[in-house]
Amino acid sequence: MRALQLARQGGGHASPNPMVGAVVVHDGIIIGEGFHRCCGKAHAEVNAIASVRNHSLLPESTIYVTLEPCSHYGKTPPCAKLLIEKKIRRVVVGVLDPFEKVSGRGVTMLREAGIEVVVGVLERECRELNRRFFTAHTTGLPWVLLKWAQSADGYLANEDGTVRFSTPLPMSLMHRERAMVDAIVVGAGTVKIDNPSLTVRHWSGNSPLRVALDRNASIPETCKLLNDGNKTLIYNEKKEDVNGCVEWVRLNTSEPQSWLRNLYSRGITSVMVEGGANVLQQLLDTGMWNELRIEVAPIALEKGIKAPAVDLSPAVRQDIDGNTIFRIEK
């Protein structure tokens, strides 16, 4: 359980890598622990080993790790190789890594080196911790979170799109959600009406890749997505271009699977779709979603832009600062 607690500390920083925690135990006493702090930096096993003061104890120690140690060279060397070099006696693994470059190879490498390996301890909890990562690498598509705010009578906004429903606390929590995904997706209409920044400003964490679905390449050149220096990807059906931090990619924007697969090929394992109504409805209609987050404000608009119709009866409900947030996972 301690390794799981440690792993969660990587939330908002480790992705698109998984959250991983590791604990080194000698004679029933924890002598080292660590977690994967940031993508591209040392993995949990490396940090745990580095925290051990007396490395002479390692050949008599067990390391508990929530996810199978990696076996390949990526941005860092293989963790399985490190454990072999340190002559760790025993490795307890929560769950095997679904990533094709690992997927059992780490365990095989350890066992071939004569290390005792136990797999499947708290497997359900370890899998749940990284369910977005597992979904992406088993389906070849990112985990898709659909998010919107609406009035109590079911409208996203009034007719000119100017009404806003979130109060400060729900807004901060929404920015936490942004920090936990690899990309944010919006339609061209949302860009034109809201001119959003789509960055993490009210929470500590990384700002995700901004993605716009702009079939006719009609987003104004003055919008923030094209000018604020943050990386932006625009899927459209008119042009291919790279201009500074902005990349235009030509593909069929009316087929969600097309752009979702392209995002996965770029290392994106999770996305949050923030609008507009047409994009949200398209994903709902095609079943290309994994999770819903719907914030309902206690006001009525009576007319405007209709929100997608969703059965909220199976949702988990949370009342925050006067608004109600409903969450549904498939």
Side-chain angles (χ1 to χ4, degrees):
M1 293 301 293
R2 176 56 179 163
L4 281 165
Q5 291 174 344
L6 290 165
R8 293 188 184 96
Q9 295 184 47
H13 301 278
S15 192
N17 289 350
M19 294 175 282
V20 183
V23 176
V24 183
V25 176
H26 178 266
D27 199 20
I29 298 174
I30 294 176
I31 61 172
E33 59 183 32
F35 64 95
H36 184 37
R37 295 178 177 273
C38 180
C39 180
K41 302 297 183 181
H43 288 187
E45 300 93 322
V46 176
N47 289 328
I49 295 294
S51 73
V52 175
R53 292 185 178 181
N54 185 356
H55 279 212
S56 68
L57 299 177
L58 292 176
E60 301 171 0
S61 300
T62 296
I63 186 168
Y64 296 83
V65 60
T66 56
L67 188 70
E68 176 184 13
C70 63
S71 56
H72 67 292
Y73 284 88
K75 293 182 178 179
T76 60
C79 292
K81 184 174 183 290
L82 172 68
L83 300 181
I84 293 169
E85 291 172 350
K86 295 298 181 179
K87 300 180 180 180
I88 289 284
R89 180 178 65 85
R90 183 168 176 258
V91 179
V92 177
V93 176
V95 64
L96 294 179
D97 192 329
F99 185 49
E100 63 178 359
K101 291 184 179 180
V102 184
S103 194
R105 293 178 178 86
V107 166
T108 298
M109 182 184 296
L110 293 169
R111 286 176 173 160
E112 287 179 348
I115 296 174
E116 178 187 353
V117 182
V118 178
V119 179
V121 176
L122 296 180
E123 179 173 354
R124 181 182 63 80
E125 292 85 350
C126 291
R127 188 182 295 273
E128 174 65 17
L129 174 69
N130 285 303
R131 64 192 184 281
R132 296 179 177 185
F133 177 83
F134 273 82
T135 295
H137 290 303
T138 55
T139 65
L141 296 169
W143 175 280
V144 177
L145 164 61
L146 305 185
K147 169 264 172 187
W148 69 86
Q150 66 175 63
S151 63
D153 56 348
Y155 291 94
L156 294 172
N158 54 18
E159 292 174 343
D160 63 6
T162 56
V163 169
R164 296 292 178 268
F165 302 111
S166 282
T167 52
L169 180 55
M171 178 66 73
S172 294
L173 295 177
M174 189 272 289
H175 278 237
R176 180 182 68 177
E177 296 280 356
R178 285 183 176 178
M180 296 295 288
V181 298
D182 299 334
I184 299 179
V185 180
V186 294
T190 297
V191 176
K192 293 173 183 177
I193 293 173
D194 294 346
N195 191 21
S197 295
L198 302 181
T199 56
V200 175
R201 302 182 300 282
H202 303 296
W203 195 265
S204 175
N206 297 325
S207 289
L209 171 70
R210 288 104 53 97
V211 180
L213 304 176
D214 183 19
R215 179 179 180 180
N216 296 312
S218 60
I219 292 176
E221 294 184 1
T222 56
C223 74
K224 295 175 184 176
L225 294 189
L226 302 184
N227 292 282
D228 66 4
N230 292 302
K231 190 171 181 180
T232 303
L233 186 63
I234 303 176
Y235 290 119
N236 72 103
E237 300 178 20
K238 298 290 185 180
K239 64 179 182 178
E240 294 273 355
D241 188 29
V242 178
N243 184 7
C245 294
V246 180
E247 180 179 1
W248 298 78
V249 178
R250 184 186 299 165
L251 52 69
N252 188 349
T253 59
S254 63
E255 294 183 1
Q257 191 171 91
S258 177
W259 52 267
L260 285 171
R261 286 205 181 281
N262 187 271
L263 285 173
Y264 176 77
S265 73
R266 295 167 177 266
I268 301 298
T269 60
S270 59
V271 302
M272 180 161 70
V273 181
E274 294 199 14
N278 291 336
V279 176
L280 293 167
Q281 193 63 59
Q282 187 180 60
L283 289 159
L284 286 166
D285 291 343
T286 57
M288 304 291 291
W289 62 276
N290 302 95
E291 184 179 359
L292 304 179
R293 181 191 187 276
I294 304 168
E295 183 179 341
V296 179
I299 62 174
L301 292 185
E302 298 183 355
K303 63 179 181 179
I305 302 171
K306 285 290 290 183
V310 175
D311 177 13
L312 295 178
S313 59
V316 175
R317 171 176 173 159
Q318 184 178 21
D319 294 317
I320 300 177
D321 203 18
N323 289 359
T324 302
I325 296 175
F326 297 87
R327 301 195 76 109
I328 301 174
E329 277 194 32
K330 281 186 176 179

